[in-house]
Amino acid sequence: MEQCFSILDKLAKLKFRGRFKLRAKELEYIKDKGLDKIRSHACDFIRNRVAPAEPANDGKQTPMRGHPVFIAQHATACCCRGCIEKWHHFPKGVELTKEQQKYLVSIIMEWINRQMNSNPVL
């Protein structure tokens, strides 16, 4: 799985993706809820918002703020089917498998862990 995480280094160098960071508010939310709950939210968001073959409002279904997972989705290119196809090579128009969903959640959680480890707030 570690080599899968190398994509995070590539994405972090991009002007758009690299600007996403967790702020004190989001870090505190993670601390309050715990990583298991955050992972559960990530699973729900991926399953319900991007896994369908034709997600509702695709390209606009993931807010830019409001939840640490939303921010992570944009930072990791897991926010819509177009970004997922471009960066993770899972084709649009086909429902994501459980394994593909698990992979996306793992990428999101790794990004969140990196953010937590690089921030002295926690």
Side-chain angles (χ1 to χ4, degrees), residues 40-92:
S40 173
H41 291 168
C43 290
D44 290 346
F45 294 156
I46 292 297
R47 181 180 57 252
N48 296 326
R49 293 174 178 250
V50 298
E54 306 269 339
N57 300 315
D58 194 27
K60 296 178 179 131
Q61 74 268 44
T62 305
M64 294 282 207
R65 58 182 172 262
H67 195 287
V69 173
F70 293 155
I71 297 164
Q73 283 182 265
H74 287 290
T76 60
C78 298
C79 46
C80 70
R81 292 306 295 268
C83 293
I84 290 169
E85 182 175 57
K86 178 179 179 178
W87 288 100
H88 304 287
H89 311 292
F90 301 152
K92 290 173 76 170

Side-chain angles (χ1 to χ4, degrees), residues 11 16 37 55 59 61 79 89-90 92 95-96 101 107:
L11 291 168
F16 176 72
K37 188 66 166 176
Q61 74 268 44
C79 46
H89 311 292
F90 301 152
K92 290 173 76 170
E95 185 172 346
L96 295 175
Q101 292 176 51
I107 294 288

